[in-house]
Amino acid sequence: MGKDQNPYKVAYEREKQARLKAEEILEAKSRELFLKNQKLQESYETLQKQQAIMLKNEKLATLGTLSAGITHEINNPLAFVKSNIESLYKYHTSYARLIEFIKDQVKLLPADARELFQQTLKEEDIDYIQEDLPDLMADTKDGLCRVRDIVMNLRSFARTQYTDRCKANLIEGIESTLQLLHGELKNSVELSLNLQPTPSIICNPNELNQVFLNLIINAKHATEGVKKPMISIASASNEDTITITIADNGCGMNEEALTKIFVPFYTTKPVGKGTGLGLAIAYGIVQDHKGEIKVASKEGQGTSFNICLPIN
């Protein structure tokens, strides 16, 4: 060290260099930590997507298994009940002709026999039975046709090849889903349909029917307690996109709920009334079809879901 060098200055320079070196090391470590955190966030998001897909597949598989079992168990007795009703209708025609023939011939009987016959007709209310029986059988046949339609719609959900895609019309899928939910919706909510024709697209119709099913059931639950509950379903399309809108005038959601509704197991329903999987499944299915699902909601005014799916 030269005589003209100040030892304090030398120490200061040494300390400054050490501090700069430490800052460089700290900056490098901070950058490394940031990159690792970014990768961790990406891994977490990937894990969330995989979890949603697993939940969707499990839900669809369970639904398919249950639907397949139900349709099989219902179809067999339904077939012979329907056949028996048709036979009974033919038997009634013969029975009615016989009653009319007897009424026509009873005048040939002795007076006491005619009186006993008329008394029996009155006691057994044969005239009312003759009048009511055709209506009863017609109502029964109509009910069986409804059950048949329900079974056919359930069968569309029961296909095991959930990865299969084919050309399908979304309007037919919505109508099929509404038929399936007829018992759930009738007498409890007004349904407003504005289903404009849309082109057929390559898709998995079973999965998209599941989306419609989940959204309509959610809308129905949201309108409970509303004076005039209403669910509106509309469709529109342009050259590139088909848009399906499902809206209700129910309780609506706040901003916090809107940010979480597609998160698996999140639900705004009371304990025991929701699994929190319905919208997560719907979101995953729409994403898998390269589409987009948007939601708009205001507390006390209702909620609207827009499903946008590419045509090509």
Side-chain angles (χ1 to χ4, degrees):
M1 182 182 301
K3 292 182 181 180
D4 57 341
Q5 286 185 316
N6 189 325
Y8 295 104
K9 186 177 180 180
V10 173
Y12 170 76
E13 290 295 334
R14 189 184 300 117
E15 182 184 357
K16 181 180 178 181
Q17 293 297 324
R19 187 169 61 251
L20 290 174
K21 185 68 175 177
E23 288 177 356
E24 289 177 3
I25 295 173
L26 180 61
E27 184 179 354
K29 292 295 182 182
S30 297
R31 188 181 298 110
E32 182 182 355
L33 183 61
F34 172 77
L35 293 174
K36 286 184 177 180
N37 184 63
Q38 196 172 36
K39 289 182 180 179
L40 184 62
Q41 182 65 28
E42 291 173 357
S43 299
Y44 174 70
E45 290 175 358
T46 302
L47 184 62
Q48 279 189 315
K49 292 178 181 178
Q50 290 174 344
Q51 183 187 29
I53 293 172
M54 289 174 63
L55 290 171
K56 177 197 73 173
N57 291 339
E58 183 179 354
K59 182 76 172 182
L60 289 173
T62 302
L63 180 65
T65 302
L66 289 174
S67 299
I70 290 171
T71 53
H72 177 73
E73 293 298 326
I74 292 177
N75 250 337
N76 291 336
L78 179 64
F80 66 72
V81 170
K82 192 169 182 295
S83 175
N84 289 350
I85 288 294
E86 291 174 355
S87 298
L88 187 60
Y89 188 81
K90 294 177 183 177
Y91 296 163
H92 172 258
T93 303
S94 300
Y95 164 76
R97 290 177 60 193
L98 177 61
I99 291 293
E100 292 304 317
F101 175 77
I102 294 174
K103 284 182 177 181
D104 187 56
Q105 298 298 317
V106 74
K107 60 187 177 182
L108 303 177
L109 297 176
D112 56 343
R114 287 200 306 271
E115 184 179 350
L116 179 61
F117 176 74
Q118 294 297 335
Q119 184 180 351
T120 303
L121 285 179
K122 188 175 181 180
E123 289 176 353
E124 300 298 334
D125 211 358
I126 298 299
D127 289 338
Y128 175 76
I129 292 175
Q130 282 289 92
E131 181 183 349
D132 192 45
L133 195 55
D135 291 337
L136 287 177
M137 288 190 294
D139 289 344
T140 303
K141 189 174 181 180
D142 181 62
L144 289 172
C145 289
R146 286 189 181 185
V147 174
R148 179 201 61 198
D149 293 341
I150 291 171
V151 170
M152 290 177 64
N153 285 302
L154 275 173
R155 188 180 296 169
S156 72
F157 283 93
R159 298 174 187 169
T160 55
Q161 298 299 323
Y162 289 106
T163 57
D164 288 351
R165 296 199 177 192
C166 60
K167 200 166 188 178
N169 188 281
L170 299 185
I171 305 302
E172 293 177 0
I174 292 172
E175 291 173 344
S176 173
T177 303
L178 289 174
Q179 181 68 29
L180 191 66
L181 292 173
H182 176 74
E184 178 88 9
L185 300 177
K186 71 173 184 177
N187 302 326
S188 62
V189 63
E190 182 181 347
L191 201 59
S192 173
L193 299 180
N194 183 20
L195 299 176
Q196 301 299 319
T198 60
S200 298
I201 61 172
I202 301 298
C203 64
N204 186 319
N206 299 298
E207 289 187 340
L208 292 178
N209 285 353
Q210 178 73 47
V211 173
F212 303 145
L213 183 79
N214 290 353
L215 293 180
I216 294 171
I217 288 178
N218 269 21
K220 192 262 182 183
H221 290 166
T223 58
E224 291 177 357
V226 176
K227 286 185 178 180
K228 293 182 179 179
M230 176 180 287
I231 297 174
S232 303
I233 304 176
S235 62
S237 63
N238 55 33
E239 294 182 358
D240 303 316
T241 308
I242 294 175
T243 302
I244 305 295
T245 302
I246 299 176
D248 64 72
N249 64 342
C251 58
M253 291 178 283
N254 57 32
E255 291 295 330
E256 182 184 359
L258 280 174
T259 62
K260 297 179 180 179
I261 56 171
F262 296 122
V263 176
F265 302 111
Y266 177 79
T267 179
T268 57
K269 298 175 184 176
V271 176
K273 284 198 172 183
T275 62
L277 295 177
L279 291 178
I281 290 170
Y283 181 84
I285 291 172
V286 174
Q287 289 287 310
D288 192 45
H289 282 77
K290 309 301 180 186
E292 188 177 9
I293 182 168
K294 302 175 183 178
V295 57
S297 184
K298 287 187 178 181
E299 283 190 278
Q301 296 185 24
T303 302
S304 175
F305 284 92
N306 283 344
I307 305 164
C308 302
L309 294 168
I311 293 176
N312 299 317

